[in-house]
Amino acid sequence: MINLEYSTKQMISYFIIVNRNFTLYKDKLLINYMEKLKNILDNIDKKYVLSKVNISIFADFFVNHQVNTEEIISYAIVTFNRLLNYYNREFTDEDIVKELETVMRIYSARTIKKEAVNILEKYNIKQQFVYT
């Protein structure tokens, strides 16, 4: 996986696309979301990702800076972990945006990686997604 720079709006788009791939409760597991995210990051060019979602739901997103691939994965781990636990695994695109906003208020790009590693360790998931 190439470590590219993405806008926060591109990151949100990838999260929304990932979520569309899971409809069955039993498939909505954090590891499945992370594997799908890695696949989608590799297969959907960042130039086209915004055209695949309804950007009006996050047009006014409060953060507008660049994130790298590792930060996207770290933010995804924390965001989807929270959503999968708090919403009985049922959440909308708007819920993703709202939860990511909360996560980005709590964790900076420097601290999100540590939290992601803690979550992966909690679930005994190999750290194949975040590198220390």
Side-chain angles (χ1 to χ4, degrees):
M1 177 179 291
I2 300 171
N3 195 12
L4 298 174
E5 293 285 320
Y6 301 85
S7 71
T8 50
K9 292 180 181 178
Q10 288 169 321
M11 176 173 62
I12 294 167
S13 299
Y14 282 111
F15 290 6
I16 290 170
I17 293 167
V18 165
N19 189 51
R20 289 180 186 163
N21 286 272
F22 300 101
T23 55
L24 298 176
Y25 180 87
K26 68 178 182 70
D27 294 333
K28 293 184 177 189
L29 303 172
L30 185 59
I31 192 158
N32 292 346
Y33 276 78
M34 294 306 95
E35 287 172 352
K36 182 56 78 175
L37 177 60
K38 283 184 108 173
N39 179 271
I40 289 173
L41 283 169
D42 287 339
N43 291 304
I44 297 178
D45 192 299
K46 69 181 193 170
K47 293 183 287 191
Y48 306 111
V49 71
L50 291 173
S51 67
K52 299 188 178 300
V53 298
N54 177 5
I55 62 171
S56 67
I57 63 172
F58 56 87
D60 295 333
F61 195 73
F62 83 106
V63 177
N64 190 18
H65 64 264
Q66 298 294 307
V67 291
N68 64 35
T69 307
E70 188 174 28
E71 291 165 345
I72 286 179
I73 292 170
S74 295
Y75 277 114
I77 290 168
V78 176
T79 301
F80 284 117
N81 181 63
R82 292 168 60 105
L83 288 166
L84 291 167
N85 286 315
Y86 297 150
Y87 291 100
N88 196 26
R89 299 185 190 172
E90 291 296 325
F91 45 89
T92 65
D93 296 350
E94 290 84 358
D95 293 329
I96 293 170
V97 174
K98 186 176 177 182
E99 196 62 41
L100 178 61
E101 184 174 328
T102 300
V103 168
M104 291 188 89
R105 286 184 192 279
I106 298 170
Y107 302 100
S108 71
R110 286 184 268 169
T111 60
I112 192 66
K113 183 177 168 183
K114 185 174 191 291
E115 182 62 16
V117 169
N118 290 341
I119 291 168
L120 294 177
E121 288 174 353
K122 175 182 162 186
Y123 293 115
N124 288 327
I125 297 173
K126 290 183 198 174
Q127 291 186 12
Q128 61 198 23
F129 302 109
V130 179
Y131 305 99
T132 55

